[in-house]
Amino acid sequence: METAPTNSNIPAKLDENQNSIGLKLVTPVDSSGVGAGNEIGYYDLLYRGMGANILYTDYATKQCVYLSSQVSSTHQDETDLSWIPSVDGGIEPFLSGDKLYMRVIGMPGDSDGSGTPGKIMEMNLDGSERRDLFTLQSGETFTQNAIASNGTYFFCLINRVQAGDAIWNKSLIKIDAKTGQSETIYDFDLPVYIVGAFDDILVLKTIEIPSLEELFNSETSSQTIASQVHTLYTFAINTSSLQQVKKWKQIELSGACQDNTFCYLNFEDLSVYRLDISTGDTQKVCDGFPACDPEHTNLLGFFDSHLQFEVMDLSNIQPDGSGVERYQYAVDLDKGEIIAQTLFIQESEDTMPSVYHIMAETEDYFLVHYATTTKVVESIVSDGTIGTEQISLAKNALIKKSDYWSNINNIIPISDENL
């Protein structure tokens, strides 16, 4: 973290070999609003006007800048490397090898071909040599956020619908990372989602709702949600074989995958377990996480061999929605301990405080979101004129992992004065 600044804040290439044969997720399971980071920096998006800017946080200089070498640019046209003109459906950045990618979700149109097709854009880490690597065809949309890669191919799920057909089918496709050519691997008749990857295995999950009618009934919706059935599968890419791993009701447990491990909170005995997906072996990590309502317990993710989760206490909720308490914890999977987390931020008087959110990590540091600020910027609007708008900017900082888990607020703020 104390490396001297280079001639430019914008990286040219990351010197690491990520072209391994094993599959791994290159996006989070749910990456909505999340950027992408590596050992030297972090990429994020700033939406404004008719598009978005790619922002780059340089860990060495502790600065957040536009991914552009044009200092005097308005950063709002295609001559600027940081600018993405179309943001239909949203954009999700991710990293693989020494390339930066942007998945543009797009907007599905009618059968007449209207709409904006989703695509995956590829560029160098400094934003140069941008190209559309892959574009969806008519009747296709991206299903959910997780993408896996083995360095040669990307694997993701897409929805396909035929003209006049109201039923969407989920297809697993692989995309050549060099040519962008795609091939269908498997068509599923299950509503599957990618939740993990390791070796040649994709970890998939389905969620079955017992009754849609009861789900949309205010008197029965809570019970119906609690009765949702989750099933975890492995899908072997080389043999196209699908195998069930574990099945449970939402009221029973809540878990998440990392590599070949499925870690979960068991609400029946208030213990944390670790399931080896490869072997099926289950091991208890620790006892005694706080008693809580499964419906109001959310997993926040795996970081540095810790599983984070939050608990919402609605016992004192008022008619206006106030009175809700939020508690956040982390399970140290190596030590078998549960840590109460107290590094909280509160965005406004109307929102509940939340723990410093981990945006990215290096070997020794986390990049965390610790506050939010607003700024008035110039933006080009639909008629081509320049107006102003107020945007929200995340205030990020670096913090040592050991300090974060010990609730020590030794943050190193990231400067955004150049935005």
Side-chain angles (χ1 to χ4, degrees), residues 83-121:
W83 181 247
I84 300 178
S86 174
V87 294
D88 286 345
I91 307 173
E92 300 165 353
F94 64 95
L95 293 160
S96 183
D98 60 357
K99 298 291 184 181
L100 172 65
Y101 297 87
M102 297 285 160
R103 177 163 59 168
V104 181
I105 301 303
M107 295 292 287
D110 298 325
S111 57
D112 60 2
S114 62
T116 305
K119 63 182 179 180
I120 295 177
M121 299 165 52

Side-chain angles (χ1 to χ4, degrees), residues 1 11 34 39 78 86 110 136 141 181 207-208 219 235 256 271 313 339 347 359 403:
M1 292 295 100
V34 177
E39 281 292 322
E78 294 183 70
S86 174
D110 298 325
L136 292 172
T141 60
Q181 294 182 335
I207 303 177
E208 179 185 353
E219 297 181 357
F235 180 82
S271 297
D313 183 357
I339 305 166
E347 304 288 6
M359 310 300 291
D403 287 342

Side-chain angles (χ1 to χ4, degrees), residues 28 30-36 42-45 91-93 357-359:
D30 181 3
S31 60
S32 302
V34 177
Y42 176 75
Y43 297 86
D44 201 0
L45 293 167
I91 307 173
E92 300 165 353
H357 180 62
I358 297 173
M359 310 300 291

Side-chain angles (χ1 to χ4, degrees), residues 87-224:
V87 294
D88 286 345
I91 307 173
E92 300 165 353
F94 64 95
L95 293 160
S96 183
D98 60 357
K99 298 291 184 181
L100 172 65
Y101 297 87
M102 297 285 160
R103 177 163 59 168
V104 181
I105 301 303
M107 295 292 287
D110 298 325
S111 57
D112 60 2
S114 62
T116 305
K119 63 182 179 180
I120 295 177
M121 299 165 52
E122 177 197 83
M123 64 194 76
N124 292 330
L125 294 181
D126 62 357
S128 64
E129 298 185 22
R130 184 183 301 182
R131 65 167 177 152
D132 290 346
L133 175 69
F134 168 76
T135 303
L136 292 172
Q137 302 299 309
S138 176
E140 297 178 344
T141 60
F142 290 115
T143 60
Q144 46 81 253
N145 296 308
I147 298 176
S149 176
N150 61 2
T152 303
Y153 294 98
F154 295 113
F155 297 86
C156 67
L157 290 163
I158 63 171
N159 286 321
R160 283 198 175 113
V161 63
Q162 301 298 323
D165 189 351
I167 300 176
W168 292 83
N169 298 313
K170 288 197 173 184
S171 298
L172 175 66
I173 64 170
K174 71 175 183 180
I175 303 167
D176 190 300
K178 290 185 177 179
T179 67
Q181 294 182 335
S182 65
E183 176 185 344
T184 299
I185 301 295
Y186 198 82
D187 293 315
F188 291 95
D189 56 4
L190 298 169
V192 295
Y193 301 89
I194 298 174
V195 295
F198 64 95
D199 297 338
D200 73 326
I201 300 294
L202 290 176
V203 185
L204 309 175
K205 190 172 82 165
T206 64
I207 303 177
E208 179 185 353
I209 301 174
S211 169
L212 286 175
E213 181 179 347
E214 293 180 358
L215 177 64
F216 292 108
N217 185 324
S218 60
E219 297 181 357
T220 59
S221 61
S222 180
Q223 182 179 354
T224 302

Side-chain angles (χ1 to χ4, degrees), residues 25-26 33 37 62 65 68 75-77 89 99 136 141 243 245 268 270 301 307-308 314 371 388 419:
L25 295 188
V26 292
K62 318 297 187 300
V65 297
S68 169
H75 307 293
Q76 294 188 79
D77 61 62
K99 298 291 184 181
L136 292 172
T141 60
Q243 184 175 353
V245 176
E268 296 181 334
L270 300 180
L307 177 66
Q308 281 188 306
L314 277 63
T388 61
L419 296 181

Side-chain angles (χ1 to χ4, degrees), residues 8-10 48 53-54 65-83 126-128 130 418-419:
S8 171
N9 291 336
I10 308 303
R48 61 171 178 164
N53 289 111
I54 306 172
V65 297
Y66 291 105
L67 191 70
S68 169
S69 58
Q70 299 172 255
V71 178
S72 60
S73 171
T74 62
H75 307 293
Q76 294 188 79
D77 61 62
E78 294 183 70
T79 64
D80 192 288
L81 292 180
S82 74
W83 181 247
D126 62 357
S128 64
R130 184 183 301 182
N418 292 318
L419 296 181

